[in-house]
Amino acid sequence: MDRTERLNIPETELFHPGHYACQGCGAPIVTRYMMKALGKKTIIVIPACCWSVIQGPYPYSTLKVSVVHTAFETAASTASGIRSALKTQGRNDIHVVALAGDGGTFDIGLQALSGAAERNDNIIYVCYDNEAYMNTGIQRSSSTPFGAWTTTTPGSHYKDRPKKDIIQIMAAHRIPYAATGSVAYPEDLYKKFKKASTMTGLRFFHIFSPCPPGWKSATDDSIKIARYATWSKIYPLYEVFDGERFIVTKPEKEIPVSDYFSIQKRFSNLSEHDTAFIQQMVDERWMSLLKLSGSSPEK
Ligand SMILES: Cc1ncc(C[n+]2csc(CCOP(=O)(O)OP(=O)(O)O)c2C)c(N)n1
Ligand code: SF4
């Protein structure tokens, strides 16, 4: 983006400064932009995850909206229940959001999420993806990427299975909207939340959210890492409408996955052979995404 161009994002904050996240954490950034788009009439459901700590204890809460803390596996079902309660009161003017980590979404909360998606419940589900169970000490989740170190994939025994494709799983439920986003692209994130706020039914967000202690990265590198994730196509930005219409945003610059790996120590055990293998997986996935969106590899 041209540095002289102003971001088209409102200055109003529904988020207090002085929250409890570590320095450089992506998770508060995700929620800050989300709140700017959704506005004050929002109820947020938070299961066990870093965000249940970032929020802080009442009355010193980070968010200026109502928050319901719930059990780890119940983010979607709690949000669905709140939606039903609002419906019986005739209140259709409130967004109900489930905000969960990847462990609470890809793993333990998947059953509740799938149920809500199959019913097409009128909720917004946001997964901030830091690619591991961070709140309990950096354990591997099914969102942890191939090749990453975690405390349960130590040393050279890095994770040897690919990341679960959560957007494809959600798209298979034929929900009205599923999208990826990144803290490195705030305007894109804001616009996607705005778009989702005008729709009904289950809207799903999968947002790339760096975690310096978990990724063994510098606290001031988080946005750069997120940008590199998109440039290297490890984390493409795209939307899926009704489970079948794909729109892919091609990155403004292209880099090899090795550049992305080099700024985080969690990938330091990878050999050149491993990196070449991952590059091949990433290229193949990118080509299949382009095919789904009907675009060509050329710019
Ligand atoms: C049923 C259940 N199992 C385990 C826990 C312990 N627990 C609390 S937070 C958490 C990790 C959450 O990971 P994730 O959803 O990825 O969010 P993050 O911590 O990375 O923000 C775990 C395992 C729990 N609260 N409930
Ligand atoms: S452990 Fe990671 S995800 Fe959790 S608050 Fe710290 S930086 Fe954020």
PDB file of all heavy atoms in Angstrom, residues 19-28 49-51 53-54 128 130 132-138 209-215 222, ligand 2:
ATOM      1  N   HIS A  19      -4.600  -3.886  27.935  1.00  0.00           N
ATOM      2  CA  HIS A  19      -5.126  -5.250  28.070  1.00  0.00           C
ATOM      3  C   HIS A  19      -4.018  -6.204  28.551  1.00  0.00           C
ATOM      4  O   HIS A  19      -2.867  -5.809  28.724  1.00  0.00           O
ATOM      5  CB  HIS A  19      -5.720  -5.710  26.734  1.00  0.00           C
ATOM      6  CG  HIS A  19      -4.775  -5.577  25.595  1.00  0.00           C
ATOM      7  ND1 HIS A  19      -3.694  -6.393  25.447  1.00  0.00           N
ATOM      8  CD2 HIS A  19      -4.721  -4.692  24.565  1.00  0.00           C
ATOM      9  CE1 HIS A  19      -3.025  -6.045  24.374  1.00  0.00           C
ATOM     10  NE2 HIS A  19      -3.627  -5.004  23.825  1.00  0.00           N
ATOM     11  N   TYR A  20      -4.358  -7.502  28.694  1.00  0.00           N
ATOM     12  CA  TYR A  20      -3.429  -8.459  29.310  1.00  0.00           C
ATOM     13  C   TYR A  20      -2.662  -9.334  28.318  1.00  0.00           C
ATOM     14  O   TYR A  20      -2.079 -10.333  28.713  1.00  0.00           O
ATOM     15  CB  TYR A  20      -4.191  -9.367  30.272  1.00  0.00           C
ATOM     16  CG  TYR A  20      -4.626  -8.682  31.542  1.00  0.00           C
ATOM     17  CD1 TYR A  20      -5.804  -7.957  31.585  1.00  0.00           C
ATOM     18  CD2 TYR A  20      -3.855  -8.775  32.703  1.00  0.00           C
ATOM     19  CE1 TYR A  20      -6.212  -7.320  32.750  1.00  0.00           C
ATOM     20  CE2 TYR A  20      -4.260  -8.144  33.872  1.00  0.00           C
ATOM     21  CZ  TYR A  20      -5.431  -7.424  33.892  1.00  0.00           C
ATOM     22  OH  TYR A  20      -5.841  -6.804  35.045  1.00  0.00           O
ATOM     23  N   ALA A  21      -2.696  -8.998  27.035  1.00  0.00           N
ATOM     24  CA  ALA A  21      -1.958  -9.827  26.062  1.00  0.00           C
ATOM     25  C   ALA A  21      -0.462  -9.551  26.151  1.00  0.00           C
ATOM     26  O   ALA A  21      -0.026  -8.491  26.607  1.00  0.00           O
ATOM     27  CB  ALA A  21      -2.445  -9.539  24.648  1.00  0.00           C
ATOM     28  N   CYS A  22       0.351 -10.521  25.695  1.00  0.00           N
ATOM     29  CA  CYS A  22       1.806 -10.302  25.617  1.00  0.00           C
ATOM     30  C   CYS A  22       2.079  -9.231  24.546  1.00  0.00           C
ATOM     31  O   CYS A  22       1.268  -9.035  23.641  1.00  0.00           O
ATOM     32  CB  CYS A  22       2.532 -11.561  25.166  1.00  0.00           C
ATOM     33  SG  CYS A  22       2.046 -13.091  25.948  1.00  0.00           S
ATOM     34  N   GLN A  23       3.254  -8.628  24.626  1.00  0.00           N
ATOM     35  CA  GLN A  23       3.637  -7.661  23.583  1.00  0.00           C
ATOM     36  C   GLN A  23       3.709  -8.372  22.239  1.00  0.00           C
ATOM     37  O   GLN A  23       4.223  -9.477  22.150  1.00  0.00           O
ATOM     38  CB  GLN A  23       5.010  -7.094  23.893  1.00  0.00           C
ATOM     39  CG  GLN A  23       4.961  -5.972  24.884  1.00  0.00           C
ATOM     40  CD  GLN A  23       6.313  -5.311  25.048  1.00  0.00           C
ATOM     41  OE1 GLN A  23       7.275  -5.645  24.357  1.00  0.00           O
ATOM     42  NE2 GLN A  23       6.386  -4.379  25.964  1.00  0.00           N
ATOM     43  N   GLY A  24       3.203  -7.719  21.220  1.00  0.00           N
ATOM     44  CA  GLY A  24       3.294  -8.270  19.866  1.00  0.00           C
ATOM     45  C   GLY A  24       2.235  -9.304  19.547  1.00  0.00           C
ATOM     46  O   GLY A  24       2.255  -9.908  18.476  1.00  0.00           O
ATOM     47  N   CYS A  25       1.282  -9.519  20.445  1.00  0.00           N
ATOM     48  CA  CYS A  25       0.232 -10.521  20.209  1.00  0.00           C
ATOM     49  C   CYS A  25      -0.739 -10.039  19.128  1.00  0.00           C
ATOM     50  O   CYS A  25      -1.181  -8.884  19.142  1.00  0.00           O
ATOM     51  CB  CYS A  25      -0.540 -10.759  21.507  1.00  0.00           C
ATOM     52  SG  CYS A  25      -1.896 -11.926  21.321  1.00  0.00           S
ATOM     53  N   GLY A  26      -1.089 -10.933  18.217  1.00  0.00           N
ATOM     54  CA  GLY A  26      -2.035 -10.565  17.154  1.00  0.00           C
ATOM     55  C   GLY A  26      -3.478 -10.564  17.613  1.00  0.00           C
ATOM     56  O   GLY A  26      -4.327  -9.871  17.040  1.00  0.00           O
ATOM     57  N   ALA A  27      -3.781 -11.338  18.662  1.00  0.00           N
ATOM     58  CA  ALA A  27      -5.183 -11.552  19.050  1.00  0.00           C
ATOM     59  C   ALA A  27      -5.948 -10.259  19.397  1.00  0.00           C
ATOM     60  O   ALA A  27      -7.098 -10.101  18.976  1.00  0.00           O
ATOM     61  CB  ALA A  27      -5.248 -12.559  20.195  1.00  0.00           C
ATOM     62  N   PRO A  28      -5.343  -9.312  20.152  1.00  0.00           N
ATOM     63  CA  PRO A  28      -6.099  -8.075  20.420  1.00  0.00           C
ATOM     64  C   PRO A  28      -6.334  -7.253  19.154  1.00  0.00           C
ATOM     65  O   PRO A  28      -7.368  -6.591  19.027  1.00  0.00           O
ATOM     66  CB  PRO A  28      -5.205  -7.294  21.388  1.00  0.00           C
ATOM     67  CG  PRO A  28      -4.093  -8.181  21.764  1.00  0.00           C
ATOM     68  CD  PRO A  28      -4.057  -9.332  20.840  1.00  0.00           C
ATOM     69  N   CYS A  49      -9.186 -19.680  26.395  1.00  0.00           N
ATOM     70  CA  CYS A  49      -8.145 -19.387  25.392  1.00  0.00           C
ATOM     71  C   CYS A  49      -7.406 -18.142  25.884  1.00  0.00           C
ATOM     72  O   CYS A  49      -7.740 -17.609  26.940  1.00  0.00           O
ATOM     73  CB  CYS A  49      -8.758 -19.107  24.020  1.00  0.00           C
ATOM     74  SG  CYS A  49      -9.939 -17.743  23.980  1.00  0.00           S
ATOM     75  N   CYS A  50      -6.412 -17.671  25.153  1.00  0.00           N
ATOM     76  CA  CYS A  50      -5.701 -16.458  25.600  1.00  0.00           C
ATOM     77  C   CYS A  50      -6.647 -15.271  25.730  1.00  0.00           C
ATOM     78  O   CYS A  50      -6.467 -14.420  26.597  1.00  0.00           O
ATOM     79  CB  CYS A  50      -4.564 -16.135  24.635  1.00  0.00           C
ATOM     80  SG  CYS A  50      -3.107 -17.134  24.968  1.00  0.00           S
ATOM     81  N   TRP A  51      -7.669 -15.223  24.850  1.00  0.00           N
ATOM     82  CA  TRP A  51      -8.567 -14.071  24.917  1.00  0.00           C
ATOM     83  C   TRP A  51      -9.342 -14.011  26.232  1.00  0.00           C
ATOM     84  O   TRP A  51      -9.737 -12.940  26.681  1.00  0.00           O
ATOM     85  CB  TRP A  51      -9.534 -14.029  23.719  1.00  0.00           C
ATOM     86  CG  TRP A  51      -9.311 -12.760  22.954  1.00  0.00           C
ATOM     87  CD1 TRP A  51      -8.681 -12.626  21.747  1.00  0.00           C
ATOM     88  CD2 TRP A  51      -9.669 -11.436  23.375  1.00  0.00           C
ATOM     89  NE1 TRP A  51      -8.621 -11.299  21.389  1.00  0.00           N
ATOM     90  CE2 TRP A  51      -9.211 -10.546  22.367  1.00  0.00           C
ATOM     91  CE3 TRP A  51     -10.296 -10.902  24.478  1.00  0.00           C
ATOM     92  CZ2 TRP A  51      -9.382  -9.168  22.443  1.00  0.00           C
ATOM     93  CZ3 TRP A  51     -10.454  -9.506  24.569  1.00  0.00           C
ATOM     94  CH2 TRP A  51     -10.010  -8.663  23.555  1.00  0.00           C
ATOM     95  N   VAL A  53      -8.067 -14.377  28.961  1.00  0.00           N
ATOM     96  CA  VAL A  53      -7.156 -13.648  29.854  1.00  0.00           C
ATOM     97  C   VAL A  53      -7.010 -12.201  29.377  1.00  0.00           C
ATOM     98  O   VAL A  53      -7.054 -11.259  30.179  1.00  0.00           O
ATOM     99  CB  VAL A  53      -5.774 -14.342  29.885  1.00  0.00           C
ATOM    100  CG1 VAL A  53      -4.800 -13.552  30.750  1.00  0.00           C
ATOM    101  CG2 VAL A  53      -5.897 -15.766  30.372  1.00  0.00           C
ATOM    102  N   ILE A  54      -6.872 -12.022  28.059  1.00  0.00           N
ATOM    103  CA  ILE A  54      -6.683 -10.670  27.497  1.00  0.00           C
ATOM    104  C   ILE A  54      -7.824  -9.748  27.933  1.00  0.00           C
ATOM    105  O   ILE A  54      -7.629  -8.578  28.239  1.00  0.00           O
ATOM    106  CB  ILE A  54      -6.611 -10.742  25.941  1.00  0.00           C
ATOM    107  CG1 ILE A  54      -5.391 -11.548  25.498  1.00  0.00           C
ATOM    108  CG2 ILE A  54      -6.575  -9.342  25.325  1.00  0.00           C
ATOM    109  CD1 ILE A  54      -5.381 -11.930  24.027  1.00  0.00           C
ATOM    110  N   TYR A 128      -9.185 -16.674  15.946  1.00  0.00           N
ATOM    111  CA  TYR A 128      -7.864 -16.048  15.794  1.00  0.00           C
ATOM    112  C   TYR A 128      -6.867 -17.189  15.869  1.00  0.00           C
ATOM    113  O   TYR A 128      -6.835 -17.952  16.839  1.00  0.00           O
ATOM    114  CB  TYR A 128      -7.630 -14.943  16.837  1.00  0.00           C
ATOM    115  CG  TYR A 128      -7.572 -15.403  18.253  1.00  0.00           C
ATOM    116  CD1 TYR A 128      -6.354 -15.685  18.864  1.00  0.00           C
ATOM    117  CD2 TYR A 128      -8.737 -15.573  18.994  1.00  0.00           C
ATOM    118  CE1 TYR A 128      -6.295 -16.127  20.174  1.00  0.00           C
ATOM    119  CE2 TYR A 128      -8.688 -16.017  20.303  1.00  0.00           C
ATOM    120  CZ  TYR A 128      -7.473 -16.292  20.882  1.00  0.00           C
ATOM    121  OH  TYR A 128      -7.413 -16.750  22.173  1.00  0.00           O
ATOM    122  N   ASN A 130      -3.379 -18.707  16.227  1.00  0.00           N
ATOM    123  CA  ASN A 130      -1.956 -18.589  16.587  1.00  0.00           C
ATOM    124  C   ASN A 130      -1.261 -19.950  16.478  1.00  0.00           C
ATOM    125  O   ASN A 130      -0.156 -20.136  16.941  1.00  0.00           O
ATOM    126  CB  ASN A 130      -1.785 -17.963  17.976  1.00  0.00           C
ATOM    127  CG  ASN A 130      -2.622 -18.696  19.009  1.00  0.00           C
ATOM    128  OD1 ASN A 130      -2.850 -19.889  18.900  1.00  0.00           O
ATOM    129  ND2 ASN A 130      -3.078 -17.974  20.023  1.00  0.00           N
ATOM    130  N   ALA A 132      -1.464 -22.936  17.762  1.00  0.00           N
ATOM    131  CA  ALA A 132      -1.179 -23.871  18.866  1.00  0.00           C
ATOM    132  C   ALA A 132      -2.063 -23.507  20.068  1.00  0.00           C
ATOM    133  O   ALA A 132      -2.740 -22.479  20.046  1.00  0.00           O
ATOM    134  CB  ALA A 132       0.290 -23.833  19.272  1.00  0.00           C
ATOM    135  N   TYR A 133      -2.027 -24.361  21.085  1.00  0.00           N
ATOM    136  CA  TYR A 133      -2.727 -24.065  22.346  1.00  0.00           C
ATOM    137  C   TYR A 133      -1.769 -23.190  23.148  1.00  0.00           C
ATOM    138  O   TYR A 133      -0.935 -23.699  23.903  1.00  0.00           O
ATOM    139  CB  TYR A 133      -3.008 -25.356  23.112  1.00  0.00           C
ATOM    140  CG  TYR A 133      -4.021 -26.285  22.477  1.00  0.00           C
ATOM    141  CD1 TYR A 133      -3.703 -27.022  21.349  1.00  0.00           C
ATOM    142  CD2 TYR A 133      -5.296 -26.422  23.027  1.00  0.00           C
ATOM    143  CE1 TYR A 133      -4.626 -27.887  20.780  1.00  0.00           C
ATOM    144  CE2 TYR A 133      -6.229 -27.286  22.457  1.00  0.00           C
ATOM    145  CZ  TYR A 133      -5.884 -28.006  21.337  1.00  0.00           C
ATOM    146  OH  TYR A 133      -6.797 -28.858  20.778  1.00  0.00           O
ATOM    147  N   MET A 134      -1.885 -21.881  23.012  1.00  0.00           N
ATOM    148  CA  MET A 134      -0.894 -20.982  23.609  1.00  0.00           C
ATOM    149  C   MET A 134      -1.129 -20.763  25.095  1.00  0.00           C
ATOM    150  O   MET A 134      -0.190 -20.732  25.888  1.00  0.00           O
ATOM    151  CB  MET A 134      -0.881 -19.650  22.872  1.00  0.00           C
ATOM    152  CG  MET A 134      -0.407 -19.765  21.430  1.00  0.00           C
ATOM    153  SD  MET A 134       1.166 -20.658  21.343  1.00  0.00           S
ATOM    154  CE  MET A 134       1.473 -20.655  19.588  1.00  0.00           C
ATOM    155  N   ASN A 135      -2.400 -20.622  25.475  1.00  0.00           N
ATOM    156  CA  ASN A 135      -2.719 -20.286  26.858  1.00  0.00           C
ATOM    157  C   ASN A 135      -2.231 -21.328  27.853  1.00  0.00           C
ATOM    158  O   ASN A 135      -1.943 -21.029  29.008  1.00  0.00           O
ATOM    159  CB  ASN A 135      -4.243 -20.101  26.973  1.00  0.00           C
ATOM    160  CG  ASN A 135      -4.661 -19.674  28.336  1.00  0.00           C
ATOM    161  OD1 ASN A 135      -5.288 -20.434  29.085  1.00  0.00           O
ATOM    162  ND2 ASN A 135      -4.299 -18.471  28.698  1.00  0.00           N
ATOM    163  N   THR A 136      -2.113 -22.583  27.405  1.00  0.00           N
ATOM    164  CA  THR A 136      -1.677 -23.639  28.322  1.00  0.00           C
ATOM    165  C   THR A 136      -0.246 -24.082  28.044  1.00  0.00           C
ATOM    166  O   THR A 136       0.175 -25.146  28.506  1.00  0.00           O
ATOM    167  CB  THR A 136      -2.650 -24.836  28.262  1.00  0.00           C
ATOM    168  OG1 THR A 136      -2.994 -25.075  26.902  1.00  0.00           O
ATOM    169  CG2 THR A 136      -3.903 -24.563  29.053  1.00  0.00           C
ATOM    170  N   GLY A 137       0.491 -23.317  27.231  1.00  0.00           N
ATOM    171  CA  GLY A 137       1.918 -23.613  27.110  1.00  0.00           C
ATOM    172  C   GLY A 137       2.398 -24.152  25.775  1.00  0.00           C
ATOM    173  O   GLY A 137       3.304 -24.993  25.732  1.00  0.00           O
ATOM    174  N   ILE A 138       1.784 -23.682  24.665  1.00  0.00           N
ATOM    175  CA  ILE A 138       2.293 -23.948  23.299  1.00  0.00           C
ATOM    176  C   ILE A 138       2.222 -25.428  22.914  1.00  0.00           C
ATOM    177  O   ILE A 138       3.201 -26.031  22.459  1.00  0.00           O
ATOM    178  CB  ILE A 138       3.740 -23.417  23.098  1.00  0.00           C
ATOM    179  CG1 ILE A 138       3.956 -22.088  23.832  1.00  0.00           C
ATOM    180  CG2 ILE A 138       4.086 -23.265  21.618  1.00  0.00           C
ATOM    181  CD1 ILE A 138       5.379 -21.578  23.839  1.00  0.00           C
ATOM    182  N   SER A 209      -2.875 -14.828  13.339  1.00  0.00           N
ATOM    183  CA  SER A 209      -2.631 -14.037  14.541  1.00  0.00           C
ATOM    184  C   SER A 209      -1.318 -14.444  15.216  1.00  0.00           C
ATOM    185  O   SER A 209      -1.275 -15.404  15.982  1.00  0.00           O
ATOM    186  CB  SER A 209      -3.825 -14.275  15.486  1.00  0.00           C
ATOM    187  OG  SER A 209      -3.667 -13.582  16.667  1.00  0.00           O
ATOM    188  N   PRO A 210      -0.221 -13.749  14.928  1.00  0.00           N
ATOM    189  CA  PRO A 210       1.088 -14.143  15.472  1.00  0.00           C
ATOM    190  C   PRO A 210       1.141 -14.141  16.999  1.00  0.00           C
ATOM    191  O   PRO A 210       0.426 -13.388  17.663  1.00  0.00           O
ATOM    192  CB  PRO A 210       2.038 -13.085  14.894  1.00  0.00           C
ATOM    193  CG  PRO A 210       1.351 -12.603  13.662  1.00  0.00           C
ATOM    194  CD  PRO A 210      -0.114 -12.612  14.008  1.00  0.00           C
ATOM    195  N   CYS A 211       2.018 -14.986  17.526  1.00  0.00           N
ATOM    196  CA  CYS A 211       2.185 -15.154  18.971  1.00  0.00           C
ATOM    197  C   CYS A 211       3.689 -15.220  19.256  1.00  0.00           C
ATOM    198  O   CYS A 211       4.296 -16.277  19.100  1.00  0.00           O
ATOM    199  CB  CYS A 211       1.492 -16.453  19.394  1.00  0.00           C
ATOM    200  SG  CYS A 211       1.902 -16.999  21.062  1.00  0.00           S
ATOM    201  N   PRO A 212       4.329 -14.100  19.655  1.00  0.00           N
ATOM    202  CA  PRO A 212       5.791 -14.112  19.840  1.00  0.00           C
ATOM    203  C   PRO A 212       6.330 -15.200  20.767  1.00  0.00           C
ATOM    204  O   PRO A 212       7.269 -15.904  20.386  1.00  0.00           O
ATOM    205  CB  PRO A 212       6.102 -12.696  20.335  1.00  0.00           C
ATOM    206  CG  PRO A 212       4.984 -11.868  19.791  1.00  0.00           C
ATOM    207  CD  PRO A 212       3.776 -12.753  19.816  1.00  0.00           C
ATOM    208  N   PRO A 213       5.754 -15.441  21.967  1.00  0.00           N
ATOM    209  CA  PRO A 213       6.350 -16.516  22.790  1.00  0.00           C
ATOM    210  C   PRO A 213       6.184 -17.897  22.172  1.00  0.00           C
ATOM    211  O   PRO A 213       7.069 -18.743  22.291  1.00  0.00           O
ATOM    212  CB  PRO A 213       5.608 -16.419  24.127  1.00  0.00           C
ATOM    213  CG  PRO A 213       4.474 -15.502  23.935  1.00  0.00           C
ATOM    214  CD  PRO A 213       4.694 -14.709  22.687  1.00  0.00           C
ATOM    215  N   GLY A 214       5.057 -18.134  21.516  1.00  0.00           N
ATOM    216  CA  GLY A 214       4.786 -19.446  20.935  1.00  0.00           C
ATOM    217  C   GLY A 214       5.533 -19.690  19.626  1.00  0.00           C
ATOM    218  O   GLY A 214       5.803 -20.829  19.268  1.00  0.00           O
ATOM    219  N   TRP A 215       5.833 -18.618  18.914  1.00  0.00           N
ATOM    220  CA  TRP A 215       6.502 -18.758  17.618  1.00  0.00           C
ATOM    221  C   TRP A 215       7.991 -18.451  17.737  1.00  0.00           C
ATOM    222  O   TRP A 215       8.711 -18.467  16.759  1.00  0.00           O
ATOM    223  CB  TRP A 215       5.856 -17.840  16.571  1.00  0.00           C
ATOM    224  CG  TRP A 215       4.423 -18.190  16.277  1.00  0.00           C
ATOM    225  CD1 TRP A 215       3.636 -19.103  16.925  1.00  0.00           C
ATOM    226  CD2 TRP A 215       3.599 -17.626  15.248  1.00  0.00           C
ATOM    227  NE1 TRP A 215       2.383 -19.139  16.356  1.00  0.00           N
ATOM    228  CE2 TRP A 215       2.325 -18.252  15.339  1.00  0.00           C
ATOM    229  CE3 TRP A 215       3.794 -16.641  14.268  1.00  0.00           C
ATOM    230  CZ2 TRP A 215       1.268 -17.937  14.476  1.00  0.00           C
ATOM    231  CZ3 TRP A 215       2.756 -16.323  13.408  1.00  0.00           C
ATOM    232  CH2 TRP A 215       1.503 -16.971  13.516  1.00  0.00           C
ATOM    233  N   SER A 222       5.766  -9.064  14.540  1.00  0.00           N
ATOM    234  CA  SER A 222       4.493  -9.776  14.324  1.00  0.00           C
ATOM    235  C   SER A 222       3.801  -9.402  13.010  1.00  0.00           C
ATOM    236  O   SER A 222       3.327 -10.272  12.278  1.00  0.00           O
ATOM    237  CB  SER A 222       3.545  -9.526  15.500  1.00  0.00           C
ATOM    238  OG  SER A 222       4.050 -10.179  16.631  1.00  0.00           O
TER     239      SER A 222
HETATM  240  S1  SF4 B   2       0.663 -16.386  24.541  1.00  0.00           S
HETATM  241 FE1  SF4 B   2       0.561 -15.729  22.400  1.00  0.00          FE
HETATM  242  S2  SF4 B   2      -1.621 -15.636  21.852  1.00  0.00           S
HETATM  243 FE2  SF4 B   2      -1.454 -15.725  24.100  1.00  0.00          FE
HETATM  244  S3  SF4 B   2      -1.492 -13.563  24.748  1.00  0.00           S
HETATM  245 FE3  SF4 B   2       0.665 -14.145  24.543  1.00  0.00          FE
HETATM  246  S4  SF4 B   2       1.188 -13.576  22.423  1.00  0.00           S
HETATM  247 FE4  SF4 B   2      -1.043 -13.602  22.563  1.00  0.00          FE
END
